[in-house]
Amino acid sequence: RRANSVARARAHATQRTRTRAQRRTRVSRAAAARQRPLYQTTGQQQRAAATMAPTRKPRGGGRGDATLEPVPEDEEMEAPPPPPPEVTQSQDDPPPPPPDDDDDSGSSDDDERSLVVKDEERTPWTVESGDIKTQNCICSVNLKIPIDCRKLAMSTRNSEYNPKKFSAVIMRIRDPRTTALVFQSGKMVVTGARTPELLHRAARKFGAIIKRVGFAPRFDGFAVQNVVATCDTKFQIRLEALVYAHAKFASYEPELFPGLVYRMLTPKCVFLVFVSGRIVLTGGKSMDAHRAAFEKFWPVLCEFKKETAPQPRCAVRALPPSQQALPTSRHALPASQQALPAPPPLQPAAAPAGFVPPPPRVVPR
């Protein structure tokens, strides 16, 4: 027991000695850092020092051995070169040529990004009161190999895998901003892109990421499964009348969902119609199918358009002179509506001749 206590005391003493030495080292390093000159060895710091005070070039070839040496006073400094003369353009001179817009010095990434923006800003088929705009596209791809979901989730960034909640790896990328669901069977579903071109590009990127992990996927069976679009008719719609007239294709439960669901058979498309006139189109596999379905559904919407009653306008008519207000009173009423004058106060009736008033009655106490 005594030997163990002695060994423990020696260990504590050694640890205290090491801690003190490390503390002295940190203090000495901090002091050296405070005494270090402001401009050391890098080229940018040397140029900054040269602009503040005239100095010579640093000695030594190494970056650590380079020091700055001041210029002696007896040595003459070279005068800086004079600034170039300013060129002023007179009114007679022709204007400078405009910049060349056909310069092909830009990168291919910028050109591709500009093409993508133009594709997104393209205006599709236009109806009388609104446009159809694509909001989301969904596609499916077959990778033709089994996927180890746990390995894929642990080897990639921005990935989620929780088999208790969902049996697929959720992967996300930023350009284009899309999300992929990778299943163990090798099927992959990509969503989030606004156009089929961007969707195909995102699916290729997800395949490249899976290939870097160590798998050998094959890009097969790419197909767009659903396209979601929106439209605004710019007028309100009578949903109750619409669901009564088309009860075979429409369903409307305002207590569960505020929109009317209209299922069209040919072409196959689903409309979510709201009372404000906004419509969501889904179920089609291309924008052409959506345009054909909306063109067929447009007369039905116009039939059940909610007519808003115009607000009545107050007609100002000139009153006859007998009903015009008097100029002396600000809120005077017409003569027929004015109050009658107050009656004169009542006067006591005169006593008849020969009338003797009775004596006053004295009431004894």
Side-chain angles (χ1 to χ4, degrees):
R1 187 180 304 172
R2 184 177 180 182
N4 292 338
S5 62
V6 170
R8 194 179 301 109
R10 289 179 179 176
H12 286 313
T14 305
Q15 183 66 25
R16 285 197 297 271
T17 304
R18 291 178 180 176
T19 305
R20 291 172 184 172
Q22 293 175 359
R23 191 177 304 165
R24 295 194 197 98
T25 303
R26 287 197 297 267
V27 172
S28 60
R29 287 179 180 176
R34 286 194 298 270
Q35 296 176 2
R36 193 174 300 163
L38 182 60
Y39 301 102
Q40 271 193 328
T41 58
T42 62
Q44 183 177 4
Q45 293 174 347
Q46 292 174 7
R47 287 192 295 271
T51 56
M52 297 181 62
T55 56
R56 286 182 178 178
K57 295 182 180 180
R59 298 176 181 176
R63 298 182 65 181
D65 301 335
T67 57
L68 301 178
E69 181 180 0
V71 179
E73 298 180 357
D74 56 351
E75 183 177 354
E76 296 182 358
M77 294 185 298
E78 297 181 0
E86 298 181 357
V87 179
T88 58
Q89 181 179 359
S90 61
Q91 299 180 356
D92 300 336
D93 297 340
D100 189 6
D101 296 338
D102 300 336
D103 187 9
D104 296 333
S105 59
S107 60
S108 59
D109 297 339
D110 298 339
D111 299 340
E112 186 177 0
R113 193 178 297 110
S114 63
L115 291 176
V116 170
V117 172
K118 290 180 180 178
D119 191 20
E120 290 183 356
E121 294 179 354
R122 193 188 314 166
T123 56
W125 174 74
T126 305
V127 295
E128 182 179 354
S129 303
D131 301 333
I132 300 178
K133 298 181 180 179
T134 309
Q135 301 296 335
N136 187 16
C137 296
I138 303 172
C139 76
S140 61
V141 181
N142 192 358
L143 302 178
K144 294 290 186 178
I145 57 168
I147 300 295
D148 186 357
C149 296
R150 189 176 300 276
K151 177 182 177 181
L152 180 62
M154 297 296 293
S155 304
T156 56
R157 298 178 181 178
N158 301 325
S159 299
E160 301 176 10
Y161 179 59
N162 190 353
K164 294 182 180 180
K165 294 183 178 180
F166 191 62
S167 61
V169 182
I170 304 174
M171 303 176 62
R172 295 181 176 88
I173 58 176
R174 295 183 179 179
D175 185 25
R177 188 178 294 273
T178 51
T179 303
L181 306 178
V182 184
F183 294 88
Q184 187 176 2
S185 60
K187 300 293 183 63
M188 182 174 65
V189 178
V190 184
T191 180
R194 289 182 177 267
T195 60
E197 292 79 10
L198 288 177
L199 200 63
H200 187 273
R201 177 182 170 190
R204 285 287 185 181
K205 281 194 173 184
F206 283 116
I209 294 173
I210 295 174
K211 187 175 181 180
R212 288 183 181 180
V213 174
F215 302 98
R218 288 183 294 174
F219 198 82
D220 186 27
F222 175 83
V224 178
Q225 300 296 339
N226 188 14
V227 177
V228 181
T230 58
C231 180
D232 189 3
T233 59
K234 303 296 179 62
F235 57 82
Q236 296 185 357
I237 302 171
R238 296 180 291 117
L239 300 183
E240 293 82 359
L242 177 58
V243 72
Y244 289 150
H246 300 265
K248 186 177 179 180
F249 308 100
S251 62
Y252 179 51
E253 295 292 341
E255 296 179 356
L256 302 179
F257 184 67
L260 181 144
V261 181
Y262 191 96
R263 302 180 183 276
M264 184 176 292
L265 299 181
T266 52
K268 189 176 181 180
C269 184
V270 179
F271 298 90
L272 302 180
V273 186
F274 297 90
V275 68
S276 62
R278 295 184 178 274
I279 301 175
V280 179
L281 298 85
T282 182
K285 296 187 177 182
S286 64
M287 284 302 299
D288 296 336
H290 281 318
R291 294 188 184 97
F294 192 80
E295 186 176 1
K296 185 178 180 180
F297 191 54
W298 178 252
V300 179
L301 297 175
C302 295
E303 180 183 357
F304 296 96
K305 177 180 178 181
K306 183 181 293 186
E307 300 293 342
T308 56
Q311 297 293 335
R313 297 183 178 180
C314 298
V316 180
R317 298 179 182 179
L319 298 176
S322 61
Q323 298 183 5
Q324 290 183 359
L326 299 178
T328 57
S329 177
R330 184 177 178 182
H331 303 286
L333 297 175
S336 60
Q337 300 181 10
Q338 289 183 0
L340 298 177
L346 298 177
Q347 299 294 335
F355 175 76
V356 178
R361 184 180 179 183
V362 180
V363 179
R365 294 183 178 180

